Amino acid sequence: MRDMAIIDVVDLVKTYPGQVHAVRGLSFSVEPGTIFGLLGPNGAGKSTTVRILATLSAPTAGRAEVAGFDVAMHPQEVRRRIGYVAQGSAVDLHATARENLHLQGRLYGMRGVELTRRVDELLELFQLAGAANRLARTFSGGMKRRLDLAMGLVHRPRVLFLDEPTTGLDPESRAALWHEVDRLARETELTILLTTHYLDEADRLAGRIAIVDEGRIVAEGTPDELKRTLRGDRVSVELVAFSELQTGVEVLRGVQGVDEVAIEGRTLHTQVPQGGRAVPVILQALDRAGVAVAQVSVSRPSLDDVYLSLTGKSMVSKDPAEGGRKLEVAGV
Amino acid sequence: MSFFNDVRPLFLRLVRYTVRMPVFMVIGVVQSILWLVLFGQLFQRVVQIPGFEAESYLQFLAPGITIMTALFGSAHSGMGTLIDIERGVMDRLLVTPASRGALMAARVLHAGALVVFQGAVILCASLAMGARPGAGVVGVLVVLLAAGLLGCAFGALSNAIALIARRQETVLAAMNFIILPLTFLSGIMMSAALMPAWIRRVAALNPANWAVVAARAGFEGSDWGAVGLNLVWLSLFALACGWLATRAFDRYRRTI
């Protein structure tokens, strides 16, 4: 598989001055024409990895090849073949959408009719044709993001890096961008490397996912494979009273097959081999301890649970737009 | 050549910024014309001091104020680079195969072009107020050339400081600390013949003074030897500053 990989990363290390270890020996490879997701919390080393692959930063150690060229040895060759959409919009606010795209194209050596045609095509593709001659500072967050994406594609790259593409977007713009990315991957030969701290985003878009934690990859596979690594089901018990949470946790830990309990609001989450069998036992135990239960549910594990089980940490985001779950680990 | 292909669109991008947000450029011009009027009036009789080289102070001041504007107009060029870095624009440009030298050169040329335009307006105003270049159009062009070279030099210096310090406050403080003394330790407002000896010695090493000597001698058409010599010094200084900015840019790229 390595031979046909379009992105090949081997033992990548990046250490910043002051012994800040952003990336600590990362390896993965991406097949052409797929979407690969680097999933992990803020500060896991995802952005640093992408910055190295996009030739912005030099690796401290290790090797990375993109589109057949080593990023450290042949950065110009890599640059010609990649598009990079950074975390946060990087459009020229005092230029129009058309001017932004035009400049970007010029820097890839495009010009004349070819460039004009490509710019028109992208404006159309990303629903910016109506706003083509408006200054980008008048754009909404979603429009700026679409322009960022269009700018990353102006020279028809083989690989596109998307660093946290939907962070800070409202849910509607997020869904629209997902749709765009999905379509790009389906309708073109483009390979996309996506970083995200949204589990649902990785689940929805990426064919393969590597979970990154503290500069290392802790698991890799398709979303389904990763979910399968978790034995059994997730049982969620919502209690009636906050005051009974601690008792609830202790009771649950006493149940056979339960070894970890996470708290989210008034709800306790746990992982059991067989949800159907565990629920009556859990309910009985809670009843005996006098803990009142409002609701019980059993579900197949999500990437959330995979992350939790792999790192012992939950992915906590301060971003209110995320809509993700906030989990706290209450015991091991 | 990638460099020349890339400099043009990058330079035009910056020109577009200035055209769309002309407030700083306009303030620079208005302020300079104000200096021209105020100092022109205030120091009217300075020319009567024996040994002063000109007969009309306005005539003497016009090239000087143009050079002073070049100094002040280019000193904050590095702020734009820092804003580009902050907004992610720099990263976006660095990911393209664009010539690294062109990225810096566009900034420096923009600083030069900006002060040439400001200088042209100021010289027009001074002509309207009665200044007469002895060397005619050529005189005006020499003044603008000197201003442009000085603008490129200090634009590059400002970028070098910006890329090393990476703080807007530092750029402001450092450049203000440099340019104000350079203004007064030069012949911008006072005839060299009437300077105290120590200032004259310092001024001989001051790039702003080289610019003003070349500009004034060219404006009057009085001493083409001085024009040539000082323009050479000024060009060398601009090249040195450009080299410094390029080095600072390389260093910046290695540390991100």
Short mmCIF file of all heavy atoms in Angstrom, two decimals, chain A residues 38-61:
data_model
loop_
_atom_site.label_atom_id
_atom_site.label_comp_id
_atom_site.label_asym_id
_atom_site.label_seq_id
_atom_site.Cartn_x
_atom_site.Cartn_y
_atom_site.Cartn_z
N LEU A 38 -7.44 13.38 10.28
CA LEU A 38 -6.63 13.36 11.50
C LEU A 38 -7.53 13.92 12.59
O LEU A 38 -7.90 15.10 12.55
CB LEU A 38 -5.38 14.23 11.35
CG LEU A 38 -4.22 13.69 10.51
CD1 LEU A 38 -3.11 14.74 10.47
CD2 LEU A 38 -3.70 12.39 11.08
N LEU A 39 -7.88 13.08 13.54
CA LEU A 39 -8.84 13.47 14.56
C LEU A 39 -8.14 13.57 15.91
O LEU A 39 -7.37 12.68 16.28
CB LEU A 39 -9.95 12.41 14.61
CG LEU A 39 -10.99 12.52 15.70
CD1 LEU A 39 -11.87 13.74 15.47
CD2 LEU A 39 -11.85 11.26 15.74
N GLY A 40 -8.42 14.65 16.61
CA GLY A 40 -7.82 14.79 17.93
C GLY A 40 -8.18 16.14 18.51
O GLY A 40 -8.66 17.01 17.79
N PRO A 41 -7.96 16.32 19.80
CA PRO A 41 -8.30 17.60 20.42
C PRO A 41 -7.33 18.70 20.01
O PRO A 41 -6.30 18.41 19.41
CB PRO A 41 -8.19 17.30 21.92
CG PRO A 41 -7.20 16.18 22.00
CD PRO A 41 -7.37 15.38 20.75
N ASN A 42 -7.64 19.93 20.36
CA ASN A 42 -6.73 21.04 20.09
C ASN A 42 -5.40 20.76 20.78
O ASN A 42 -5.37 20.30 21.90
CB ASN A 42 -7.31 22.35 20.63
CG ASN A 42 -8.56 22.75 19.87
OD1 ASN A 42 -8.68 22.48 18.67
ND2 ASN A 42 -9.50 23.36 20.56
N GLY A 43 -4.31 21.02 20.05
CA GLY A 43 -2.99 20.84 20.66
C GLY A 43 -2.45 19.42 20.52
O GLY A 43 -1.41 19.10 21.07
N ALA A 44 -3.15 18.56 19.76
CA ALA A 44 -2.69 17.18 19.62
C ALA A 44 -1.54 17.06 18.63
O ALA A 44 -0.85 16.05 18.59
CB ALA A 44 -3.84 16.29 19.18
N GLY A 45 -1.33 18.10 17.82
CA GLY A 45 -0.25 18.05 16.82
C GLY A 45 -0.77 17.91 15.40
O GLY A 45 0.02 17.74 14.47
N LYS A 46 -2.08 18.01 15.21
CA LYS A 46 -2.65 17.85 13.86
C LYS A 46 -2.22 18.99 12.95
O LYS A 46 -1.75 18.76 11.83
CB LYS A 46 -4.19 17.84 13.92
CG LYS A 46 -4.79 16.76 14.77
CD LYS A 46 -6.29 16.96 14.88
CE LYS A 46 -6.61 18.31 15.32
NZ LYS A 46 -7.36 18.78 16.30
N SER A 47 -2.41 20.22 13.42
CA SER A 47 -2.07 21.38 12.58
C SER A 47 -0.59 21.40 12.25
O SER A 47 -0.20 21.70 11.12
CB SER A 47 -2.45 22.68 13.28
OG SER A 47 -3.85 22.82 13.26
N THR A 48 0.25 21.08 13.24
CA THR A 48 1.69 21.05 13.00
C THR A 48 2.01 20.05 11.90
O THR A 48 2.81 20.33 11.00
CB THR A 48 2.43 20.66 14.29
OG1 THR A 48 2.01 21.56 15.33
CG2 THR A 48 3.93 20.77 14.12
N THR A 49 1.38 18.87 11.96
CA THR A 49 1.61 17.85 10.94
C THR A 49 1.24 18.38 9.56
O THR A 49 2.02 18.25 8.60
CB THR A 49 0.78 16.59 11.26
OG1 THR A 49 1.09 16.16 12.58
CG2 THR A 49 1.06 15.48 10.27
N VAL A 50 0.07 19.00 9.46
CA VAL A 50 -0.37 19.52 8.17
C VAL A 50 0.56 20.63 7.69
O VAL A 50 0.89 20.72 6.52
CB VAL A 50 -1.83 20.02 8.26
CG1 VAL A 50 -2.20 20.79 7.02
CG2 VAL A 50 -2.76 18.83 8.43
N ARG A 51 1.01 21.47 8.61
CA ARG A 51 1.93 22.55 8.23
C ARG A 51 3.24 22.00 7.67
O ARG A 51 3.82 22.57 6.75
CB ARG A 51 2.21 23.48 9.42
CG ARG A 51 1.00 24.32 9.82
CD ARG A 51 1.31 25.18 11.03
NE ARG A 51 2.31 26.18 10.71
CZ ARG A 51 2.05 27.34 10.13
NH1 ARG A 51 0.82 27.65 9.83
NH2 ARG A 51 3.02 28.18 9.86
N ILE A 52 3.69 20.88 8.22
CA ILE A 52 4.90 20.26 7.69
C ILE A 52 4.63 19.69 6.30
O ILE A 52 5.39 19.92 5.36
CB ILE A 52 5.40 19.14 8.63
CG1 ILE A 52 5.90 19.74 9.95
CG2 ILE A 52 6.53 18.33 7.96
CD1 ILE A 52 6.20 18.73 11.02
N LEU A 53 3.49 19.01 6.15
CA LEU A 53 3.16 18.42 4.85
C LEU A 53 2.95 19.49 3.78
O LEU A 53 3.20 19.28 2.60
CB LEU A 53 1.91 17.55 4.96
CG LEU A 53 2.05 16.32 5.87
CD1 LEU A 53 0.77 15.53 5.90
CD2 LEU A 53 3.21 15.45 5.39
N ALA A 54 2.49 20.69 4.21
CA ALA A 54 2.26 21.78 3.26
C ALA A 54 3.52 22.63 3.05
O ALA A 54 3.44 23.71 2.47
CB ALA A 54 1.10 22.64 3.73
N THR A 55 4.64 22.18 3.54
CA THR A 55 5.96 22.82 3.39
C THR A 55 6.13 24.13 4.17
O THR A 55 7.06 24.88 3.95
CB THR A 55 6.34 23.13 1.91
OG1 THR A 55 5.62 24.28 1.47
CG2 THR A 55 6.06 21.96 1.00
N LEU A 56 5.21 24.41 5.11
CA LEU A 56 5.33 25.66 5.87
C LEU A 56 6.35 25.52 6.99
O LEU A 56 7.05 26.47 7.32
CB LEU A 56 3.98 26.05 6.46
CG LEU A 56 3.02 26.75 5.51
CD1 LEU A 56 1.66 26.91 6.17
CD2 LEU A 56 3.56 28.11 5.10
N SER A 57 6.40 24.35 7.60
CA SER A 57 7.34 24.12 8.69
C SER A 57 8.26 22.97 8.30
O SER A 57 7.85 22.07 7.57
CB SER A 57 6.61 23.73 9.97
OG SER A 57 5.79 24.77 10.41
N ALA A 58 9.47 23.00 8.82
CA ALA A 58 10.40 21.91 8.54
C ALA A 58 10.31 20.89 9.66
O ALA A 58 10.23 21.25 10.82
CB ALA A 58 11.82 22.46 8.45
N PRO A 59 10.32 19.59 9.31
CA PRO A 59 10.28 18.57 10.36
C PRO A 59 11.60 18.54 11.13
O PRO A 59 12.65 18.82 10.56
CB PRO A 59 10.06 17.27 9.59
CG PRO A 59 10.53 17.54 8.20
CD PRO A 59 10.34 19.01 7.96
N THR A 60 11.54 18.23 12.42
CA THR A 60 12.76 18.08 13.22
C THR A 60 13.42 16.74 12.89
O THR A 60 14.64 16.64 12.82
CB THR A 60 12.42 18.12 14.72
OG1 THR A 60 11.60 19.27 14.96
CG2 THR A 60 13.67 18.21 15.58
N ALA A 61 12.60 15.72 12.69
CA ALA A 61 13.11 14.40 12.30
C ALA A 61 12.00 13.67 11.56
O ALA A 61 10.85 14.09 11.56
CB ALA A 61 13.55 13.62 13.53
#
